[in-house]
């Protein structure tokens, strides 16, 4: 991992430039097709990033699916999901939030033992209420086109060791108040979900990889209530306003323990802000491709530490949407540690740094990886989102 040398306090800061996005651009999200044509592209003959090269180069990956759990990097490296459990195959796209049937996604997700969940065929799952995912679960969509869409979506609450891979989560709606089963032994009253694609509460050791996320009622990924040890990688984000929130509120100081790696993602067309927005804690934002945000790309509000490394920032032609960064505060932010190292800025994009001293991620040897050159990021993120993996 590249490191930063000791830096002097920065005495000069560029002015903040933020515009309000065109509302027509946001409303346009709902008129677009559910799954864009990028899913039809071939994943072959493209340079692989350090995560993908771990498993995609193995021709027998389908007969050894659980080896995927060894391939994460960053703070979520230790997420093992259902590595040591049985394979559970989803055969039925129906849903019952209280008494789920065997063969459905919810039935597998609530089990207490480790499970590696796969899908028998292509399916669209419209949940009747939020899906509560239990600890030690992997939801692995490789080999099928799996969509969770047009209803409430995924909640990860008070659990650990969850992997979500290769699924499309889009057009999520708020869940209704009512009873929802979270384990085989427990059915509890839920007050209703907000309409996020993935909501993470008080959970740890999580990895979200190669998913497609778009057009939800609230956020695409929310990480709150002292969740930590998370990697968000190789995902394709598009057609949404508030993309990724790290931190519950500016008053919830328990989120200071939060450590999140955001790597190799494609932040594509029609995104407005929060890629991510960080309230507290630490975010390593590395080797992502940002394409014409409508307001800003990376933001924060409560003295977070943000290390932006080797990203590829392409600004739009809007002269008021060139700045990568935004501080959501009326207080003095000059001491906040926000750094850029090896980023590439195109079409007038620029990053406003602040603070002093090193902010290199303190990864363990297992978590650590070498950031690629920013110029290679379009190739390394070319296959972001679910892959057309053929099961041999």
């Amino acid at each position: 991992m590249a490191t930063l040398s000791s830096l002097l306090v920065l005495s000069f800061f560029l002015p903040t430039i933020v515009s309000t996005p065109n509302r027509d651009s946001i409303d346009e999200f709902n008129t677009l097709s559910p799954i864009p044509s990028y899913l039809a592209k071939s994943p072959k003959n493209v340079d692989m990033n350090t995560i993908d090269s771990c498993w995609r180069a193995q021709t027998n990956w389908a007969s050894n699916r659980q080896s995927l759990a060894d391939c994460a990097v960053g703070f979520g490296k230790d997420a093992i999901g259902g590595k040591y459990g049985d394979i559970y195959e989803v055969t039925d796209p129906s849903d019952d939030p209280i008494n789920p049937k065997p063969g459905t996604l919810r039935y597998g997700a609530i089990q207490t033992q480790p499970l590696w969940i796969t899908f028998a065929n292509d399916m669209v799952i419209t949940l009747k209420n939020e899906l509560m995912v239990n600890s030690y679960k992997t939801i692995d969509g490789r080999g099928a086109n799996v969509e969770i869409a047009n209803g409430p979506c995924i909640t990860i609450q008070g659990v650990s060791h969850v992997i979500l891979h290769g699924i499309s989560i889009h057009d999520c709606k708020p869940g209704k108040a009512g009873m929802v089963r979270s384990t085989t032994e427990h059915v509890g009253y839920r007050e209703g979900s907000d309409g996020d694609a993935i909501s993470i509460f008080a959970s740890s050791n999580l990895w979200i990889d190669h998913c497609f996320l778009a057009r939800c009622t609230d956020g695409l990924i929310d990480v709150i209530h002292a969740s930590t040890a998370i990697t968000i990688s190789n995902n394709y984000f598009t057609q949404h306003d508030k993309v990724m929130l790290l931190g519950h509120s500016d008053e919830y100081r328990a989120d200071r323990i939060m450590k999140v790696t955001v790597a190799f993602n494609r932040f594509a067309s029609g995104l407005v802000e929060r890629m991510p927005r960080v309230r507290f804690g630490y975010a390593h934002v590395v080797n992502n491709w940002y394409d014409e945000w409508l307001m800003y790309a990376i933001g924060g509000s409560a003295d977070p530490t943000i290390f932006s490394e080797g990203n590829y920032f392409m600004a739009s032609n809007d002269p008021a949407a060139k700045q990568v960064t935004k501080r959501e505060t009326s207080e003095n932010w000059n001491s906040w540690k926000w750094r850029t190292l090896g980023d590439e800025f195109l079409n007038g994009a620029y990053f406003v740094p602040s603070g002093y001293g090193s902010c290199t991620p303190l990864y363990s040897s297992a978590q650590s990886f070498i950031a690629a050159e920013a110029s290679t990021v379009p190739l390394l993120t070319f296959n972001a989102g679910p892959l057309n993996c053929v099961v041999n």
Side-chain angles (χ1 to χ4, degrees):
M1 169 58 61
T3 59
L4 288 173
S5 60
S6 297
L7 298 174
L8 297 175
V9 178
L10 297 170
S11 58
F12 177 76
F13 300 94
L14 295 171
T16 300
I17 302 175
V18 175
S19 65
T20 301
N22 187 318
R23 178 51 55 181
D24 291 339
S25 298
I26 300 173
D27 292 341
E28 180 185 31
F29 298 166
N30 294 324
T31 69
L32 301 175
S33 60
I35 302 296
S37 60
Y38 86 91
L39 285 174
K41 70 184 184 299
S42 170
K44 299 179 180 179
N45 303 320
V46 174
D47 289 345
M48 295 186 192
N49 59 55
T50 187
I51 293 174
D52 283 357
S53 62
C54 174
W55 68 271
R56 283 175 56 196
Q58 307 301 317
T59 58
N60 66 338
W61 66 264
S63 61
N64 190 21
R65 283 180 175 271
Q66 286 149 309
S67 64
L68 176 70
D70 300 325
C71 294
V73 298
F75 291 118
K77 169 65 178 177
D78 294 333
I80 62 174
K83 179 180 179 181
Y84 299 113
D86 292 334
I87 301 290
Y88 170 90
E89 187 173 66
V90 178
T91 58
D92 181 351
S94 70
D95 183 52
D96 184 334
I98 300 175
N99 294 302
K101 296 188 297 183
T104 63
L105 174 59
R106 191 181 298 272
Y107 185 89
I110 65 168
Q111 299 302 308
T112 54
Q113 73 272 27
L115 287 178
W116 196 277
I117 300 171
T118 65
F119 297 82
N121 47 260
D122 296 353
M123 61 183 70
V124 178
I125 299 173
T126 299
L127 298 167
K128 294 183 178 178
N129 215 323
E130 59 187 310
L131 176 70
M132 309 293 293
V133 181
N134 210 342
S135 294
Y136 296 98
K137 299 294 178 294
T138 297
I139 300 177
D140 179 2
R142 289 176 295 174
N145 181 6
V146 180
E147 302 177 41
I148 297 176
N150 306 311
C153 290
I154 296 176
T155 296
I156 300 171
Q157 181 170 347
V159 299
S160 63
H161 295 283
V162 173
I163 299 173
L164 305 179
H165 182 97
I167 57 177
S168 297
I169 311 169
H170 62 89
D171 298 284
C172 300
K173 312 302 182 191
K176 296 179 180 179
M179 304 299 287
V180 177
R181 185 173 293 277
S182 57
T183 74
T184 55
E185 304 297 327
H186 180 263
V187 178
Y189 181 81
R190 304 290 295 179
E191 295 183 351
S193 57
D194 293 335
D196 298 317
I198 304 171
S199 294
I200 300 171
F201 302 80
S203 297
S204 63
N205 293 297
L206 311 174
W207 182 25
I208 302 167
D209 189 59
H210 275 295
C211 293
F212 169 87
L213 302 106
R215 297 184 311 276
C216 295
T217 300
D218 196 14
L220 295 183
I221 299 179
D222 277 10
V223 182
I224 63 173
H225 281 257
S227 297
T228 191
I230 297 166
T231 293
I232 300 168
S233 58
N234 289 308
N235 301 292
Y236 193 106
F237 300 91
T238 189
Q239 305 158 20
H240 196 77
D241 184 354
K242 298 175 180 178
V243 179
M244 187 187 307
L245 177 64
L246 308 182
H248 175 62
S249 72
D250 289 355
E251 291 71 44
Y252 194 81
R253 296 183 177 274
D255 279 333
R256 289 190 181 279
I257 71 167
M258 188 178 293
K259 293 182 178 180
V260 180
T261 301
V262 180
F264 307 118
N265 300 286
R266 175 76 191 275
F267 294 99
S269 60
L271 298 176
V272 180
E273 58 182 311
R274 298 188 179 183
M275 299 171 251
R277 174 181 172 178
V278 191
R279 297 188 189 275
F280 289 105
Y282 184 102
H284 186 202
V285 183
V286 54
N287 286 157
N288 302 283
W289 181 0
Y290 290 85
D291 191 11
E292 300 188 356
W293 54 92
L294 300 181
M295 184 182 289
Y296 69 89
I298 299 173
S301 58
D303 190 16
T305 298
I306 299 174
F307 183 26
S308 174
E309 182 177 19
N311 296 293
Y312 188 90
F313 294 105
M314 173 66 76
S316 72
N317 291 326
D318 183 350
K322 300 292 188 183
Q323 186 178 157
V324 170
T325 48
K326 181 184 180 183
R327 277 84 169 174
E328 299 270 6
T329 183
S330 59
E331 305 297 325
N332 188 322
W333 47 260
N334 289 2
S335 64
W336 295 7
K337 287 186 179 181
W338 289 28
R339 296 297 166 66
T340 171
L341 178 67
D343 289 327
E344 187 160 332
F345 302 99
L346 297 96
N347 200 31
Y350 67 95
F351 186 107
V352 179
S354 58
Y356 58 91
S358 174
C359 64
T360 301
L362 298 177
Y363 287 139
S364 69
S365 58
Q367 296 169 337
S368 182
F369 63 104
I370 298 174
E373 295 289 334
S375 61
T376 68
V377 165
L379 287 177
L380 298 179
T381 60
F382 181 80
N383 290 134
L387 293 163
N388 285 333
C389 293
V390 176
V391 178
N392 296 322

